[in-house]
Amino acid sequence: MTTHHLSRLLFVCLAWLAWPAWAQPDAVRLSQAQARQPLGLSLEVLEDREGRLTLEEVRSRPDADWRPSTDEVLNFSFSTSTWWVRGRVVNDTDGPATRVLEAASALQDELDLHLLREGRPVRSWHTGDRRALDSRDLVYRYPAFALTLAPGETASFIARLGSHDGLHEAVPFVLRTQRSFLDHVQRETMVFGAYYGGLLALLLYNLLLSAIT
């Protein structure tokens, strides 16, 4: 084998080994006929061990510092670090499209979401279990955010996940159509209504038994 062939083989091997660090997940496309799109495998994560990074510092980090998520549901478990998450959404439909971005955990202590257009932050939310309910874009039991994209537009988001006591909750990031989100809310409301209604009926039954015995 010639030196030229050896050089080419070495380059291919090195490129293959470095591929996981280079690869960036594809943007989530809204043209896909899905009412619910899990985003876990389309996200990237960055660990902030000291919990001191600002949004500007995170934005300036090289791509090599980010790692593609390998799980549908982000779960950092017990960790004193703060974790940053980023993703991209492209509206490749013929008209404006609105989607609801869910961070479907009611117990995550701190969750900051920053929406970026053309690489610049245009809106931010600072919410989470330890913050007031009215800090949320949509008043719901877990953080949910309405995103509207123009035809052909690509937007990105960066989320910061912080924990007060070192316990991070499992957070599924999900993109839904408005219809899907409303149906989901109605189903959950019915389930919780039936659950708490059953508990109330059981309590009243036991009170009645106590009163007649």
Side-chain angles (χ1 to χ4, degrees):
M1 184 177 291
T2 66
T3 302
H4 174 69
H5 287 149
L6 284 173
S7 299
R8 290 186 60 185
L9 180 61
L10 179 60
F11 174 80
V12 170
C13 291
L14 290 175
W16 182 81
L17 290 173
W19 170 250
W22 294 355
Q24 185 178 29
D26 293 334
V28 177
R29 297 186 174 277
L30 301 188
S31 62
Q32 297 177 354
Q34 292 178 267
R36 178 183 183 275
Q37 293 175 274
L39 301 184
L41 299 179
S42 300
L43 302 175
E44 295 176 286
V45 298
L46 172 69
E47 184 176 8
D48 175 7
R49 295 184 182 276
E50 302 297 327
R52 298 176 181 176
L53 292 177
T54 65
L55 175 62
E56 290 304 314
E57 291 172 335
V58 168
R59 289 175 59 212
S60 65
R61 284 296 186 96
D63 289 341
D65 287 354
W66 294 82
R67 292 293 179 266
S69 169
T70 57
D71 300 303
E72 285 284 7
V73 177
L74 301 184
N75 188 354
F76 305 114
S77 189
F78 290 96
S79 172
T80 58
S81 299
T82 294
W83 293 86
W84 295 80
V85 180
R86 72 178 183 182
R88 295 178 297 140
V89 180
V90 57
N91 178 15
D92 51 357
T93 67
D94 295 331
T98 299
R99 295 292 187 273
V100 176
L101 174 62
E102 298 177 350
S105 171
L107 300 178
Q108 181 64 39
D109 290 342
E110 299 173 1
L111 193 152
D112 303 333
L113 186 80
H114 307 278
L115 177 64
L116 294 82
R117 300 184 189 275
E118 298 181 355
R120 295 188 297 273
V122 295
R123 191 173 181 186
S124 297
W125 298 270
H126 305 278
T127 184
D129 184 44
R130 288 182 170 266
R131 292 169 175 163
L133 186 64
D134 60 9
S135 66
R136 301 182 180 183
D137 185 36
L138 303 176
V139 180
Y140 188 52
R141 70 182 187 89
Y142 54 67
F145 313 88
L147 309 180
T148 300
L149 278 70
E153 180 182 9
T154 298
S156 58
F157 62 88
I158 296 177
R160 174 187 176 275
L161 302 177
S163 172
H164 176 75
D165 55 6
L167 175 60
H168 288 266
E169 301 295 329
V171 182
F173 279 87
V174 177
L175 203 63
R176 291 184 185 269
T177 62
Q178 292 174 292
R179 180 71 263 173
S180 172
F181 179 71
L182 291 175
D183 290 344
H184 177 65
V185 171
Q186 290 174 352
R187 284 194 299 270
E188 280 204 336
T189 301
M190 292 178 61
V191 170
F192 284 129
Y195 176 75
Y196 288 111
L199 288 180
L200 179 60
L202 185 62
L203 175 62
L204 292 176
Y205 175 73
N206 281 279
L207 289 176
L208 181 61
L209 287 180
S210 299
I212 62 177
T213 56

